[in-house]
């Protein structure tokens, strides 16, 4: 039923690994949920909020709206509410040339792994 969460093994690592990576500055975590969702629940501490529909612009170094903290040179972990949109985000980043991209599922996975949530 939730086969989309498995995906390609190179695209999946645990939320706990993402939490450690954010703490060391080695991983950029991107929340691809809509703004209303983030306002309601908060977002993973240390994450960058980029709604899925804006990701291709914000993650493309050649685009004028690119966010410099999102780089193809870094390890990137993405999450949404349950893992479906973050699977789509992995595909977007793949097309942009990102090679170390991981779907960590949903915000609940982050919380269950001990990650903090901040209200924005």
């Amino acid at each position: 039923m939730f086969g989309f969460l498995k995906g390609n093994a190179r695209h999946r690592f645990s939320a706990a690994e993402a939490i450690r990576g954010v703490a060391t500055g080695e991983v950029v975590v991107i929340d691809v949920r809509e703004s209303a969702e983030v306002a309601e629940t908060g977002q993973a501490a240390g994450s960058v909020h980029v709604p899925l529909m804006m990701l291709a612009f914000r993650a493309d170094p050649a685009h004028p709206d690119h966010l410099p903290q999102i780089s193809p040179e870094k390890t990137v972990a993405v999450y949404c509410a349950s893992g479906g949109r973050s699977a789509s985000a992995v595909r977007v980043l793949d097309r942009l040339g990102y090679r170390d991209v991981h779907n960590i599922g949903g915000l609940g996975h982050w919380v269950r792994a001990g990650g903090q949530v901040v209200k924005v």
Side-chain angles (χ1 to χ4, degrees):
M1 177 174 174
F2 291 103
F4 65 85
L5 288 176
K6 294 177 186 170
N8 183 330
R10 83 174 178 90
H11 290 102
R12 184 80 167 136
F13 69 27
S14 72
E17 290 173 287
I19 292 165
R20 286 190 300 273
V22 167
T24 63
E26 296 172 6
V27 176
V28 174
V29 174
I30 304 173
D31 180 335
V32 297
R33 296 175 302 149
E34 294 300 318
S35 296
E37 292 172 278
V38 174
E40 184 177 322
T41 63
Q43 70 186 62
S47 69
V48 178
H49 175 237
V50 180
L52 180 58
M53 298 323 260
M54 297 298 297
L55 186 60
F57 306 122
R58 302 288 190 182
D60 183 352
H63 195 280
D65 291 331
H66 173 250
L67 294 175
Q69 62 266 45
I70 304 173
S71 168
E73 307 305 315
K74 296 213 71 148
T75 298
V76 177
V78 293
Y79 75 90
C80 59
S82 64
R85 284 174 287 178
S86 50
S88 294
V90 166
R91 290 189 294 275
V92 168
L93 294 168
D94 274 346
R95 284 193 302 271
L96 289 171
Y98 286 70
R99 293 293 160 233
D100 195 8
V101 182
H102 307 274
N103 177 356
I104 60 170
L107 182 61
H109 295 97
W110 175 270
V111 171
R112 283 190 296 279
Q116 298 296 309
V117 174
V118 295
K119 287 286 192 174
V120 291

